[in-house]
Amino acid sequence: MTTAPTTTVREAVLDLCRRTGMTTVFGNPGSTELRMLRDWPADFRYVLALQESLAVAMAAGHALGTGRAGLVSLHSAGGVGHGLGAVFNAYRDRVPVVVVAGQQSRSLLPLHPFLGADEPAEFPRPYVKWSRQTARAEDVPAALAEAHRVAMTHPRGPVFLSVPEDDWDAPAAPVPPRAVHGAFTAAPDALAELAARLDDCARPALVVGPGVDDEGAVDAVVALAERTRAGVWISPMSGRSGFPETHPLFQGFLPPVRGQLADRLAGHDVVVALGAPLFTYHVSGDGPLLPDDCELFHLDCDPAQAAWLPVGTSVLTTLRAGVESLTSLLKPTTRPTPPPRPQVARAVPTDPPSAAYVLDALAELLPPERVLVEEAPSHREALHARVPVRRAGAFLTTGSGALGWGLPLAVGRALAGDGRVVCVVGDGSALYSVQALWTAVRHRAPVTFVLLDNGGYEAVKALGRRLGAESVPGTDITGIDFPALATSFGCPSTEIETPERLRPELLRALEPAGGGPVLVRVRVRRETGSAYPD
């Protein structure tokens, strides 16, 4: 005889969330989530975002800061639609986010009700690892437990569960605790083959992708680089750093242009890509994928990524385990150390200041323990050249390109703890998600927002100039008072238009007297160059 459950779906889900560390919930509430949200437990924190894409990005930032899955509550079909741009970013950047979406009552679904999602499990695909609406209410807690395990198994990423609003009060059994240990190491013969090639080659290179930082393998990769005396590059458009950029073996950032990428790797006879989708291009280009006589090996935990790679030998492994095993197989080397990366000249002051001049000042004043979040597409190359990242987990951006990620990502990361976060954002990017300032104020998130205002979508203009289009409509943004906008959300702000005020104002903003968020708007000079010049 089967004993009837003594708990509800809601109670079983909340118990599961406690045991998995998902007690901070990011969301924007609606009618189909009310049964889940009523009598909100005191040991849970609900973080209100003023639009659903912000909730997803905040949950992602929190996940990156805590190392646990982020939990986000979205509102049925419309709210899920709003959040999908951020879900896309989380998927490409391998961020474990558990999305629980409201759905209309089961009794109404045959009638295509207001707010109902007709095919909820299909809606977020293909940019989730797992997606479901259960056939029975009592299966919701077990489905959420499975979703969490899938999100946290490498390659990590977002998952989606749609819950009809009347399911929350249905009886259900608690879900017993269960863990999945996801680390695995490549076959010994595959690593031995790669070790032999590295021992015999003349000039190896490592290409570090976001997977290195994601899997906590930075120190293991440093040891591999030092063992092989390999030059280290960061993969194109990477959403993380993955290698200390002040290390003498660091060579720079690979461009997202086919021929240019091959040119940067010229002279290397063996290239090892680590957690990197190496051939991430932003614009079309000609030329070879790799230099002649260059052999590629690719270590990653994602079988789909391994199968997609157009050239080279892929080795399936989680990175820390694989890289440590590989390093242990290598012989001592006498090959020369590659020359250090050339340093850019310091920018000169102008009125208004250039973005390069602002970033030089930021690099001078930024404490090394700070986490840096970037979403300033016009100035990303300048930031990489001038603001070195020194430690694991200290740089976050989007490797995917859906704008509006940076501000809420920084807020979520700040709410995870570990000190003040600095967010460098462009004016165009900021306007996708400026409501995140409101949430930052309400939760006293320690974030310094450095807003570089060049009056438009300058990255789009630069891409247009690359194609020979000197004038692109819809790329100017004028008449917005960002300090006043920040103040309206309750966020302290300051404005800088001349180079003389830059350093003292930045210093005050990096250590604000009252804690909490602060916005520094810097009017910067417009650039006139093209994107990725040949």
Side-chain angles (χ1 to χ4, degrees):
M1 179 176 177
T2 303
T3 304
T6 58
T7 189
T8 65
V9 167
R10 179 179 181 275
E11 291 165 342
V13 164
L14 291 175
D15 178 66
L16 175 68
C17 290
R18 288 186 181 96
R19 287 189 286 104
T20 54
M22 297 191 297
T23 56
T24 297
V25 182
F26 298 86
N28 185 277
S31 56
T32 55
E33 299 83 66
L34 290 177
R35 295 186 197 226
M36 178 189 75
L37 297 174
R38 74 172 184 270
D39 300 325
W40 192 242
D43 58 330
F44 278 65
R45 174 170 60 166
Y46 189 93
V47 179
L48 172 61
L50 300 184
Q51 205 261 11
E52 288 87 348
S53 65
L54 279 67
V56 176
M58 288 177 190
H62 197 260
L64 292 170
T66 62
R68 302 187 298 270
L71 180 58
V72 58
S73 170
L74 300 184
H75 180 44
S76 195
V80 173
H82 286 158
L84 283 182
V87 171
F88 168 73
N89 280 347
Y91 181 77
R92 292 292 194 206
D93 294 347
R94 299 184 182 180
V95 185
V97 176
V98 177
V99 177
V100 177
Q103 168 69 304
Q104 270 288 13
S105 298
R106 290 182 184 269
S107 61
L108 291 177
L109 293 179
L111 304 175
H112 298 282
F114 184 71
L115 295 175
D118 291 339
E119 298 288 344
E122 296 303 313
F123 198 3
R125 292 186 185 275
Y127 298 114
V128 288
K129 291 183 65 182
W130 181 101
S131 184
R132 190 169 300 170
Q133 178 174 288
T134 63
R136 306 183 308 169
E138 57 262 43
D139 296 330
V140 167
L144 184 63
E146 180 184 355
H148 176 264
R149 293 193 294 268
V150 171
M152 291 297 291
T153 301
H154 294 296
R156 304 191 305 173
V159 294
F160 178 85
L161 179 63
S162 171
V163 182
E165 64 98 17
D166 50 351
D167 282 8
W168 294 104
D169 292 334
V175 180
R178 179 171 170 262
V180 175
H181 298 290
F184 60 93
T185 309
D189 58 344
L191 293 176
E193 175 191 350
L194 174 53
R197 290 295 297 117
L198 285 170
D199 283 338
D200 293 341
C201 71
R203 191 182 173 209
L206 306 181
V207 177
V208 171
V212 170
D213 193 84
D214 181 56
E215 296 184 40
V218 174
D219 56 343
V221 172
V222 170
L224 174 62
E226 292 174 348
R227 181 76 167 176
T228 57
R229 297 186 186 175
V232 181
W233 301 83
I234 290 180
S235 63
M237 311 300 288
S238 178
R240 319 272 179 91
S241 177
F243 196 83
E245 296 169 22
T246 52
H247 194 285
L249 290 171
F250 181 62
Q251 300 294 296
F253 299 81
L254 291 175
V257 185
R258 180 167 174 160
Q260 293 182 19
L261 187 150
D263 287 344
R264 298 287 176 89
L265 295 175
H268 295 293
D269 50 353
V270 172
V271 171
V272 183
L274 302 168
L278 178 58
F279 305 110
T280 301
Y281 301 133
H282 189 196
V283 296
S284 60
D286 299 323
L289 293 169
L290 289 171
D292 293 338
D293 302 320
C294 179
E295 188 175 5
L296 173 66
F297 289 85
H298 171 235
L299 274 62
D300 203 351
C301 63
D302 185 355
Q305 185 69 53
W308 164 85
L309 211 69
V311 297
T313 299
S314 288
V315 180
L316 281 175
T317 181
T318 50
L319 291 174
R320 172 171 285 280
V323 169
E324 289 178 344
S325 296
L326 173 63
T327 304
S328 71
L329 298 173
L330 294 167
K331 300 174 183 176
T333 184
T334 58
R335 69 172 61 95
T337 300
R341 174 193 186 196
Q343 298 300 304
V344 296
R346 289 183 64 84
V348 298
T350 57
D351 192 1
S354 65
Y357 186 79
V358 177
L359 295 169
D360 279 346
L362 184 63
E364 176 188 318
L365 300 173
L366 189 66
E369 70 275 10
R370 291 283 187 263
V371 173
L372 179 65
V373 176
E374 177 269 327
E375 192 177 86
S378 303
H379 313 300
R380 186 170 184 176
E381 289 185 56
L383 182 140
H384 282 325
R386 297 173 183 278
V387 188
V389 177
R390 294 175 170 86
R391 67 179 182 92
F395 177 73
L396 304 173
T397 185
T398 171
S400 315
L403 294 181
W405 182 250
L407 267 79
L409 186 78
V411 174
R413 177 62 185 83
L415 293 178
D418 193 30
R420 178 160 290 271
V421 172
V422 177
C423 178
V424 177
V425 64
D427 52 330
S429 297
L431 290 170
Y432 279 76
S433 53
V434 71
Q435 310 97 307
L437 297 177
W438 185 90
T439 304
V441 170
R442 293 305 176 277
H443 291 270
R444 293 191 55 77
V447 187
T448 298
F449 300 98
V450 181
L451 192 150
L452 304 179
D453 184 357
N454 56 18
Y457 298 121
E458 288 299 313
V460 178
K461 292 182 180 181
L463 287 166
R465 287 189 288 267
R466 178 181 175 84
L467 299 173
E470 291 299 323
S471 177
V472 180
T475 53
D476 289 324
I477 307 171
T478 59
I480 298 170
D481 188 339
F482 283 101
L485 189 57
T487 301
S488 74
F489 289 121
C491 180
S493 64
T494 188
E495 186 168 17
I496 302 171
E497 295 188 348
T498 62
E500 294 79 18
R501 295 185 57 223
L502 180 63
R503 279 173 173 75
E505 292 292 348
L506 271 182
L507 187 60
R508 275 192 285 271
L510 292 172
E511 299 292 344
V518 62
L519 181 138
V520 180
R521 183 253 198 168
V522 187
R523 188 184 296 278
V524 295
R525 190 183 64 201
R526 288 190 174 187
E527 306 295 338
T528 57
S530 64
Y532 315 120
D534 296 320

